[in-house]
Amino acid sequence: MSKDLRRAADILRAGGLVAFPTETVYGLGADAANEKAVARLYAVKRRPADHPVIIHFAGTQAAFDWAREVPDAARKLAQKFWPGPLTLILKRSRQARDFVTGAQDSVGLRVPSHPVAQELLRLFDGAIAAPSANRFGLVSPTTAAHVRDDLGKDVDLVLEGGASDVGIESTIVDLSGATPVLLRPGHISKAEVEALIGAVGEKNATSPRHSGGLERHYAPRTPARLVPTYALDGEIAKGKHKVAVLAFSRPDERVDYWLRMPRDPHAYAQRLYAALRELDSAGCERILVEAPPDAPEWDAVRDRLRRACEAA
Ligand code: TXA
Ligand code: MG
């Protein structure tokens, strides 16, 4: 592995692209200070140039060098949750150039905890720009095999790191404005953030652009629908389409493909993207997803499912 890691760092230094594991999802990395490398990253992702990317660092100090103001709240959150599945949006310093921030005045910073990501960042000794290693709008990868399926030869090297622990993208807290805003829910909950820094607002239409904010995102190719538990049986009974089902309950014989999910929100998140990929390749015409409970601990999962599914 350490030979692969050294090669990965060399590829990054030469302006290449390396996919690497993080505890949330796999990232597609490029040298965040190299404009050409980042341009290739956007091209491979098929991501619009005005969408900012998250910049990854080995440690807090290096991350905060990319911000020109570090509020108290940012220090508290970093101390508690870094390295880990949290991204902070701060006012950018001169290090964060237009080509990684989508020309906004802020920058997204993250210190991942996955040992392979940590080792890569230390060897590279710089900042790595990394969106999730999937094509724009599709389901994020949580294994190296997912990355290879999605990006194939468009990436110079894929580092192996097992299945991602958290399974969904990092919690994003925007501290660049007058008051803190939760831009994307994740494994670290709003309540955990608020316990440290006080009330946090939810994003609204005037919040800064971010791709997770587009309504349909993280979506499988097969049309998917969220169905409340009480309506699931009725939907299946219609029998109009060949359906694949993601549910908490036991398989139903009338259904072509059934995946049973855990009742614990973290365990569910961990398996969610692999499950959506599996259902997507099951050769069905529709995916039905049993809606999770309407409770705060399911916020992050509900957010990803809403984006993966069409409006009912
Ligand atoms: O867990 C994660 O965050 C993963 C792993 C690889 O670290 N990365 C990830 O990156 O999910 P991406 O690019 O797929 O999503 C990052 C989100 C996007 O919605 C992006 O627009 C937003 O963060 N973002 C980055 N910088 C921002 C900024 N300055 N202001 C507002 N949103 C920002
Ligand atoms: Mg993404």
Coordinates of all heavy atoms in Angstrom, one line a residue, residues 144-205:
A144 N -13.9 1.3 -3.8 CA -13.0 1.5 -4.9 C -13.6 1.0 -6.2 O -13.5 1.6 -7.3 CB -11.7 0.9 -4.6
A145 N -14.4 -0.1 -6.1 CA -15.0 -0.7 -7.2 C -16.1 0.2 -7.8 O -16.2 0.4 -9.0 CB -15.7 -2.1 -6.9
H146 N -16.8 0.9 -6.9 CA -17.8 1.9 -7.4 C -17.1 3.0 -8.3 O -17.6 3.4 -9.3 CB -18.5 2.6 -6.3 CG -19.4 1.8 -5.5 ND1 -19.8 2.2 -4.2 CD2 -20.0 0.6 -5.7 CE1 -20.6 1.2 -3.7 NE2 -20.7 0.3 -4.6
V147 N -15.9 3.4 -7.8 CA -15.2 4.5 -8.5 C -14.8 4.0 -9.9 O -14.9 4.7 -10.9 CB -13.9 4.9 -7.7 CG1 -13.2 6.0 -8.5 CG2 -14.3 5.5 -6.3
R148 N -14.2 2.8 -9.9 CA -13.8 2.2 -11.2 C -15.0 2.1 -12.1 O -14.9 2.4 -13.3 CB -13.0 0.9 -11.0 CG -11.6 1.1 -10.5 CD -10.8 -0.1 -10.5 NE -11.3 -1.1 -9.6 CZ -10.9 -1.3 -8.3 NH1 -9.9 -0.5 -7.9 NH2 -11.4 -2.2 -7.5
D149 N -16.1 1.6 -11.6 CA -17.3 1.5 -12.5 C -17.7 2.8 -13.1 O -18.1 2.9 -14.2 CB -18.5 1.0 -11.6 CG -18.4 -0.5 -11.3 OD1 -17.5 -1.1 -11.9 OD2 -19.2 -0.9 -10.5
D150 N -17.6 3.9 -12.3 CA -18.1 5.2 -12.7 C -17.1 5.9 -13.6 O -17.5 6.5 -14.6 CB -18.3 6.1 -11.5 CG -19.6 5.8 -10.7 OD1 -20.3 4.9 -11.1 OD2 -19.8 6.5 -9.7
L151 N -15.8 5.9 -13.2 CA -14.9 6.8 -13.9 C -13.9 6.1 -14.8 O -13.2 6.7 -15.6 CB -14.1 7.6 -12.8 CG -15.0 8.5 -11.9 CD1 -14.1 9.2 -10.9 CD2 -15.8 9.5 -12.7
G152 N -13.8 4.8 -14.6 CA -12.9 4.0 -15.5 C -11.5 4.6 -15.7 O -10.8 4.9 -14.7
K153 N -11.2 4.8 -16.9 CA -9.8 5.2 -17.3 C -9.6 6.8 -17.1 O -8.5 7.3 -17.3 CB -9.5 4.9 -18.7 CG -9.3 3.4 -18.9 CD -8.6 3.1 -20.2 CE -8.0 1.7 -20.4 NZ -8.5 0.7 -19.6
D154 N -10.7 7.5 -16.7 CA -10.6 8.9 -16.6 C -9.8 9.3 -15.3 O -9.5 10.5 -15.1 CB -12.0 9.6 -16.5 CG -12.6 9.6 -17.9 OD1 -11.9 9.3 -18.9 OD2 -13.8 9.9 -17.9
V155 N -9.5 8.3 -14.5 CA -8.8 8.6 -13.2 C -7.4 7.9 -13.3 O -7.4 6.7 -13.8 CB -9.6 8.3 -12.0 CG1 -10.2 6.9 -12.1 CG2 -8.8 8.4 -10.7
D156 N -6.4 8.5 -12.9 CA -5.0 8.0 -13.0 C -4.8 6.8 -12.1 O -4.0 5.9 -12.4 CB -4.0 9.1 -12.9 CG -4.2 10.1 -13.9 OD1 -4.3 9.8 -15.1 OD2 -4.2 11.3 -13.6
L157 N -5.3 6.9 -10.9 CA -5.1 5.8 -9.9 C -6.3 5.8 -8.9 O -6.8 6.9 -8.5 CB -3.8 6.1 -9.1 CG -3.4 5.1 -8.0 CD1 -3.1 3.8 -8.6 CD2 -2.2 5.7 -7.2
V158 N -6.7 4.6 -8.5 CA -7.8 4.5 -7.5 C -7.1 3.8 -6.3 O -6.7 2.7 -6.4 CB -9.0 3.7 -8.0 CG1 -10.0 3.6 -6.9 CG2 -9.6 4.3 -9.2
L159 N -7.1 4.5 -5.1 CA -6.5 3.9 -3.9 C -7.6 3.1 -3.3 O -8.8 3.5 -3.2 CB -6.0 5.0 -3.0 CG -4.7 5.7 -3.4 CD1 -4.4 6.8 -2.4 CD2 -3.5 4.7 -3.4
E160 N -7.2 1.9 -2.8 CA -8.2 1.0 -2.1 C -8.2 1.3 -0.6 O -7.2 1.6 0.0 CB -7.6 -0.4 -2.4 CG -8.5 -1.6 -1.9 CD -9.8 -1.6 -2.5 OE1 -9.9 -1.9 -3.8 OE2 -10.8 -1.5 -1.8
G161 N -9.4 1.3 -0.1 CA -9.5 1.6 1.4 C -10.7 1.0 2.0 O -11.2 1.4 3.0
G162 N -11.3 -0.1 1.3 CA -12.5 -0.7 1.9 C -13.7 0.1 1.8 O -13.7 1.2 1.1
A163 N -14.8 -0.4 2.3 CA -16.1 0.4 2.2 C -16.1 1.5 3.2 O -15.6 1.4 4.4 CB -17.2 -0.6 2.6
S164 N -16.5 2.7 2.8 CA -16.5 3.9 3.6 C -17.4 3.6 4.9 O -18.5 3.1 4.7 CB -17.1 5.1 2.9 OG -16.2 5.4 1.8
D165 N -16.9 4.0 6.0 CA -17.6 3.8 7.3 C -18.9 4.6 7.4 O -19.9 4.0 7.9 CB -16.7 4.4 8.4 CG -16.2 3.3 9.3 OD1 -16.4 2.2 8.9 OD2 -15.6 3.7 10.3
V166 N -18.9 5.9 7.1 CA -20.1 6.7 7.3 C -21.1 6.5 6.1 O -22.3 6.4 6.3 CB -19.7 8.2 7.4 CG1 -20.9 9.1 7.3 CG2 -18.9 8.4 8.6
G167 N -20.6 6.5 4.9 CA -21.4 6.1 3.8 C -22.1 7.2 3.1 O -22.6 7.1 1.9
I168 N -22.3 8.4 3.7 CA -22.9 9.6 3.0 C -21.9 10.8 3.2 O -21.1 10.7 4.2 CB -24.3 9.9 3.6 CG1 -24.3 10.1 5.1 CG2 -25.3 8.9 3.1 CD1 -25.6 10.6 5.6
E169 N -22.1 11.8 2.4 CA -21.1 12.9 2.4 C -21.2 13.7 3.7 O -22.1 13.6 4.5 CB -21.5 13.9 1.3 CG -21.5 13.3 -0.1 CD -22.8 12.5 -0.4 OE1 -23.6 12.3 0.5 OE2 -22.9 12.0 -1.6
S170 N -20.0 14.4 4.0 CA -19.9 15.1 5.2 C -21.0 16.1 5.5 O -21.6 16.7 4.6 CB -18.5 15.9 5.2 OG -18.5 16.8 4.1
T171 N -21.2 16.4 6.8 CA -22.0 17.5 7.2 C -21.3 18.8 6.8 O -20.1 18.9 7.0 CB -22.1 17.5 8.8 OG1 -22.6 16.2 9.2 CG2 -23.0 18.6 9.3
I172 N -22.1 19.7 6.2 CA -21.5 21.0 5.9 C -22.1 22.1 6.7 O -23.3 22.3 6.7 CB -21.6 21.4 4.4 CG1 -21.1 20.2 3.5 CG2 -21.0 22.7 4.0 CD1 -21.2 20.5 2.0
V173 N -21.2 22.9 7.4 CA -21.6 24.0 8.2 C -21.0 25.3 7.6 O -19.8 25.4 7.5 CB -21.2 23.9 9.7 CG1 -21.7 25.1 10.5 CG2 -21.8 22.6 10.3
D174 N -21.8 26.2 7.2 CA -21.3 27.5 6.7 C -21.1 28.5 7.8 O -22.1 29.0 8.4 CB -22.3 28.0 5.6 CG -21.8 29.2 4.9 OD1 -20.8 29.8 5.2 OD2 -22.5 29.6 3.9
L175 N -19.9 28.9 8.0 CA -19.6 29.9 9.0 C -19.0 31.2 8.4 O -18.4 32.0 9.0 CB -18.6 29.4 10.0 CG -19.0 28.1 10.8 CD1 -17.9 27.5 11.6 CD2 -20.2 28.5 11.8
S176 N -19.3 31.4 7.1 CA -18.8 32.5 6.4 C -19.7 33.7 6.4 O -19.3 34.8 6.0 CB -18.5 32.2 4.9 OG -19.7 32.0 4.2
G177 N -20.9 33.6 7.0 CA -21.9 34.7 7.0 C -22.1 35.1 8.4 O -21.4 34.8 9.4
A178 N -23.2 35.9 8.6 CA -23.4 36.5 9.9 C -23.8 35.5 10.9 O -23.5 35.6 12.1 CB -24.5 37.6 9.8
T179 N -24.5 34.4 10.5 CA -25.0 33.4 11.4 C -24.7 32.0 10.8 O -24.7 31.9 9.5 CB -26.5 33.5 11.7 OG1 -27.2 33.5 10.4 CG2 -26.9 34.7 12.5
P180 N -24.4 31.0 11.6 CA -24.1 29.7 11.1 C -25.3 29.0 10.4 O -26.4 29.2 10.8 CB -23.7 28.8 12.3 CG -23.6 29.8 13.5 CD -24.3 31.0 13.1
V181 N -25.0 28.3 9.3 CA -26.0 27.7 8.5 C -25.6 26.2 8.2 O -24.5 26.0 7.8 CB -26.3 28.4 7.2 CG1 -27.4 27.7 6.4 CG2 -26.7 29.9 7.4
L182 N -26.5 25.3 8.4 CA -26.3 23.9 8.0 C -26.6 23.8 6.5 O -27.8 23.9 6.1 CB -27.2 23.0 8.8 CG -27.0 21.5 8.6 CD1 -25.7 21.0 9.2 CD2 -28.2 20.7 9.1
L183 N -25.6 23.6 5.7 CA -25.8 23.4 4.2 C -26.2 22.0 3.8 O -26.9 21.8 2.8 CB -24.6 23.9 3.5 CG -24.3 25.4 3.5 CD1 -23.2 25.7 2.5 CD2 -25.5 26.3 3.1
R184 N -25.6 21.1 4.5 CA -25.9 19.7 4.2 C -25.9 18.8 5.4 O -24.9 18.8 6.2 CB -24.8 19.2 3.2 CG -25.0 17.7 2.7 CD -24.1 17.4 1.5 NE -22.7 17.2 2.0 CZ -21.6 17.0 1.2 NH1 -21.8 17.0 -0.1 NH2 -20.4 16.9 1.6
P185 N -27.0 18.1 5.8 CA -26.9 17.3 7.0 C -26.1 16.0 6.7 O -25.9 15.6 5.6 CB -28.4 16.9 7.1 CG -29.0 17.0 5.8 CD -28.2 18.0 5.0
G186 N -25.5 15.5 7.8 CA -24.7 14.3 7.6 C -24.6 13.5 8.9 O -25.4 13.7 9.8
H187 N -23.6 12.7 9.0 CA -23.4 11.8 10.2 C -23.3 12.6 11.5 O -23.9 12.3 12.5 CB -22.1 11.0 10.0 CG -21.8 10.0 11.1 ND1 -22.3 8.8 11.1 CD2 -21.1 10.2 12.2 CE1 -21.8 8.1 12.2 NE2 -21.1 9.0 12.9
I188 N -22.6 13.7 11.4 CA -22.6 14.7 12.6 C -23.9 15.5 12.5 O -24.1 16.2 11.5 CB -21.3 15.6 12.5 CG1 -20.1 14.7 12.7 CG2 -21.4 16.7 13.6 CD1 -18.8 15.5 12.4
S189 N -24.7 15.4 13.5 CA -26.0 15.9 13.4 C -26.1 17.4 13.8 O -25.2 17.9 14.4 CB -27.0 15.2 14.4 OG -26.6 15.5 15.7
K190 N -27.2 18.0 13.4 CA -27.4 19.4 13.7 C -27.3 19.6 15.2 O -26.8 20.6 15.7 CB -28.8 19.8 13.1 CG -29.1 21.3 13.2 CD -30.3 21.7 12.5 CE -30.6 23.1 12.6 NZ -32.0 23.4 13.0
A191 N -27.9 18.7 16.0 CA -27.9 18.8 17.4 C -26.5 18.8 18.0 O -26.2 19.5 18.9 CB -28.8 17.7 18.0
E192 N -25.7 17.9 17.4 CA -24.3 17.9 17.9 C -23.5 19.2 17.6 O -22.7 19.6 18.4 CB -23.5 16.7 17.2 CG -23.9 15.4 17.8 CD -23.2 14.3 17.0 OE1 -23.6 13.9 15.8 OE2 -22.1 13.8 17.5
V193 N -23.8 19.8 16.5 CA -23.2 21.0 16.1 C -23.7 22.1 17.0 O -22.9 22.9 17.6 CB -23.5 21.4 14.6 CG1 -23.0 22.8 14.3 CG2 -22.8 20.4 13.7
E194 N -25.0 22.2 17.2 CA -25.6 23.2 18.1 C -25.2 23.1 19.5 O -25.1 24.1 20.2 CB -27.2 23.2 18.0 CG -27.6 23.7 16.6 CD -29.1 23.7 16.4 OE1 -29.8 22.9 17.0 OE2 -29.6 24.7 15.7
A195 N -24.9 21.9 20.0 CA -24.5 21.7 21.4 C -23.1 22.5 21.6 O -22.8 22.9 22.7 CB -24.3 20.2 21.7
L196 N -22.4 22.6 20.5 CA -21.1 23.3 20.7 C -21.1 24.8 20.4 O -20.5 25.6 21.0 CB -20.1 22.7 19.7 CG -19.2 21.5 20.0 CD1 -18.2 21.3 19.0 CD2 -18.6 21.7 21.4
I197 N -21.9 25.2 19.3 CA -21.8 26.6 18.9 C -23.2 27.4 18.9 O -23.2 28.5 18.5 CB -21.2 26.7 17.4 CG1 -22.2 26.1 16.4 CG2 -19.9 26.0 17.4 CD1 -21.8 26.4 15.0
G198 N -24.2 26.7 19.5 CA -25.5 27.4 19.6 C -26.3 27.2 18.3 O -25.9 26.5 17.4
A199 N -27.4 28.0 18.2 CA -28.4 27.8 17.1 C -27.7 27.9 15.7 O -26.9 28.7 15.4 CB -29.5 28.8 17.2
V200 N -28.1 26.9 14.9 CA -27.7 26.9 13.5 C -28.9 26.9 12.6 O -29.8 26.2 12.8 CB -26.9 25.6 13.3 CG1 -26.6 25.3 11.8 CG2 -25.6 25.6 14.1
G201 N -28.9 27.8 11.6 CA -30.0 27.9 10.7 C -29.9 26.8 9.6 O -29.0 26.1 9.5
E202 N -31.1 26.7 8.9 CA -31.1 25.8 7.8 C -30.9 26.6 6.5 O -31.3 27.7 6.5 CB -32.4 25.0 7.8 CG -32.8 24.3 9.1 CD -32.6 22.8 9.0 OE1 -32.4 22.3 7.9 OE2 -32.7 22.2 10.1
K203 N -30.5 25.9 5.5 CA -30.2 26.7 4.2 C -31.5 27.1 3.6 O -32.6 26.4 3.8 CB -29.4 25.8 3.3 CG -30.1 24.6 2.7 CD -29.3 24.2 1.5 CE -30.2 23.1 0.7 NZ -30.0 21.8 1.3
N204 N -31.5 28.2 2.8 CA -32.6 28.6 2.1 C -32.2 29.0 0.7 O -31.1 28.8 0.3 CB -33.3 29.7 2.8 CG -32.4 30.9 3.0 OD1 -31.7 31.3 2.1 ND2 -32.4 31.5 4.2
A205 N -33.1 29.6 -0.1 CA -32.9 29.9 -1.5 C -31.7 30.8 -1.7 O -31.1 30.8 -2.7 CB -34.1 30.4 -2.1

